[in-house]
Amino acid sequence: VLDIVNEPTAAALAFGEAAGYLSDDGTPREMMRVLVYDLGGGTFDVTLLELRPGDVRTLATDGDTHLGGYDWDQQLAEHAADLFAEQHGADPREDPGSLTRLMRAVEEAKHTLSIRNRTKIHVEHAGRILDVLMTRDQFKELTAHLLERTAYTVGEVLRVAGMTWKDVTKVLLVGGSTRMPMVPEMLEKLTGI
């Protein structure tokens, strides 16, 4: 082992190799700055890297250890449980079995909304059932504050590095939660990339 690189650097190098930016010896052909936006299931990290021939440098990094795809699931679950409680007078969050089924249903709904514009969240509790219709736009609205937290962190990383979006060559999305269409849409608006 010659060296161990951190996760954002590994992602940027893998991207660089796949995109043809690296020469045969693994160094970048030209200077580029890559913003790695990593939104996983339980954490969010953002790193700005500068890749030059013979040099990979971290310019700034930040994150939120209490923000990830699970928070998007929670927002869907709260919404669906509130509607169920309104209609049936019982709360599925109060029963461990019902809550487990609800969390599975909202995770599936989140995945579906990444490829379709609408889905149903099946809520079952105390012998009662409610199918909650959810559109991609509703989901985006319900979770806008979460996405805004990531945008703020990205802005802080650029500020700390003394950079603007004009200084960034590429934005690299890492982590399963970046498959939600709202993530690349927001980043495209911010970056122009």
Side-chain angles (χ1 to χ4, degrees):
V1 175
L2 299 177
D3 199 0
I4 297 174
V5 297
N6 63 22
E7 195 174 2
T9 303
L13 290 173
F15 161 77
E17 182 180 1
Y21 285 102
L22 301 184
S23 61
D24 292 339
D25 66 357
T27 60
R29 295 183 193 279
E30 58 190 49
M31 192 279 288
M32 66 176 165
R33 289 192 189 100
V34 179
L35 183 102
V36 180
Y37 179 104
D38 182 356
L39 184 59
T43 61
F44 170 65
D45 297 294
V46 60
T47 302
L48 183 61
L49 298 164
E50 187 172 84
L51 286 77
R52 294 179 177 271
D55 188 32
V56 177
R57 185 168 300 171
T58 299
L59 301 177
T61 188
D62 200 354
D64 189 336
T65 58
H66 301 290
L67 181 65
Y70 180 75
D71 296 287
W72 272 259
D73 296 347
Q74 282 293 116
Q75 291 299 307
L76 279 176
E78 293 296 318
H79 176 74
D82 287 346
L83 291 176
F84 187 93
E86 269 179 37
Q87 186 164 337
H88 295 296
D91 193 334
R93 293 168 287 203
E94 294 174 357
D95 176 64
S98 297
L99 181 58
T100 298
R101 287 189 299 277
L102 174 61
M103 292 309 293
R104 269 191 298 234
V106 298
E107 187 175 356
E108 184 178 317
K110 179 181 73 174
H111 293 162
T112 300
L113 289 170
S114 293
I115 55 174
R116 291 193 168 82
N117 286 321
R118 62 181 55 232
T119 191
K120 289 181 183 176
I121 302 169
H122 185 76
V123 186
E124 194 175 325
H125 173 65
R128 296 185 180 116
I129 295 173
L130 178 67
D131 285 327
V132 176
L133 179 64
M134 179 61 56
T135 67
R136 187 181 287 171
D137 287 340
Q138 287 173 312
F139 180 42
K140 186 176 175 180
E141 189 177 315
L142 271 176
T143 59
H145 65 289
L146 300 173
L147 202 58
E148 182 57 36
R149 282 172 58 185
T150 72
Y152 175 80
T153 303
V154 166
E156 284 298 296
V157 164
L158 284 175
R159 187 187 63 73
V160 166
M163 305 276 168
T164 68
W165 285 115
K166 291 177 186 167
D167 300 309
V168 177
T169 312
K170 297 282 181 190
V171 176
L172 180 59
L173 301 181
V174 178
S177 295
T178 62
R179 291 186 178 134
M180 295 183 291
M182 67 182 78
V183 172
E185 286 170 10
M186 178 269 298
L187 286 168
E188 189 174 343
K189 282 181 188 172
L190 276 179
T191 67
I193 297 173

